[in-house]
Amino acid sequence: MTDAHESLDEVDRLVAAWRTERPDLDVEPLQVLSRVSRLAKHLDRARRAAFAEHDLEPWEFDVLTALRRAGKPYELSPGALLRATLVTSGTMTNRIDRLAQAGLVRRRPDPEDRRGVLVTLTDTGLQRVDSAFSGLLRREHDLLAGLDEPHQRALAALLRTLLAPFDAGSSN
């Protein structure tokens, strides 16, 4: 049931229809998870638009932000990039090759491991990822504009609680 000050949304209509058609089922999870799913679609669109403004694909943004978060000198081993982006080694090699061809990263020998390499953001890569990240945050702020700061913090805490068992299971 919604509060008097809230208006009905598409999920309310969906839940009401299922309650009518399948009164034998508890459709209450739809109240949360259908909204999360719909929000994820809006977030995906916002992310893709923010990246496209800076001529980046989502996978490029993922690799570049992993390097950016590493701090100066903005470099990681390919293995560390694998762990940060959760892709296979073949996929990562291909991604590093493509980013290097685009001038966004460069490889250099690892001074502590003669057989290893380090992947480093170029100045162009650093500028591009910083601009794309700023654009993404502007869009994400817009997505959350309907919630004041205390509500945003409360929602973040609830989602953290909900996700914690899944995140713990994926690290095994």
Side-chain angles (χ1 to χ4, degrees):
M1 196 57 88
T2 61
D3 294 335
H5 70 279
E6 294 179 22
S7 60
L8 294 178
D9 67 1
E10 189 59 32
V11 174
D12 291 317
R13 289 183 277 281
L14 176 139
V15 169
W18 278 119
R19 284 186 175 140
T20 299
E21 293 300 315
R22 291 296 310 266
D24 57 310
L25 295 177
D26 176 8
V27 296
E28 199 58 28
L30 296 175
Q31 294 282 3
V32 173
L33 299 176
S34 289
R35 286 183 175 95
V36 168
S37 177
R38 292 172 69 83
L39 183 58
K41 289 175 185 172
H42 290 289
L43 176 59
D44 185 58
R45 284 187 205 116
R47 289 174 59 87
R48 289 181 181 281
F51 305 155
E53 281 179 0
H54 301 281
D55 198 27
L56 290 174
E57 293 293 328
W59 67 265
E60 292 172 311
F61 182 81
D62 289 345
V63 175
L64 297 175
T65 55
L67 291 166
R68 181 64 170 99
R69 288 190 312 268
K72 281 190 176 185
Y74 312 117
E75 65 184 9
L76 293 170
S77 69
L81 283 170
L82 283 173
R83 290 185 295 280
T85 59
L86 305 174
V87 298
T88 66
S89 61
T91 298
M92 183 53 65
T93 298
N94 180 272
R95 289 178 176 186
I96 294 168
D97 289 346
R98 291 173 64 186
L99 289 168
Q101 289 169 358
L104 301 175
V105 303
R106 65 179 171 82
R107 288 182 174 97
R108 72 176 189 93
D110 185 340
E112 297 180 22
D113 178 0
R114 288 192 338 226
R115 296 170 295 152
V117 298
L118 294 172
V119 180
T120 308
L121 273 179
T122 62
D123 290 342
T124 301
L126 178 63
Q127 182 277 328
R128 183 96 53 93
V129 73
D130 279 353
S131 295
F133 187 57
S134 294
L136 174 62
L137 287 176
R138 279 191 301 279
R139 289 171 186 273
E140 289 185 353
H141 280 284
D142 290 346
L143 284 173
L144 294 171
L147 296 176
D148 61 17
E149 200 170 310
H151 283 106
Q152 287 181 33
R153 283 194 303 272
L155 179 58
L158 289 168
L159 291 171
R160 183 182 307 110
T161 300
L162 183 62
L163 283 171
F166 296 102
D167 289 345
S170 68
S171 65
N172 291 337

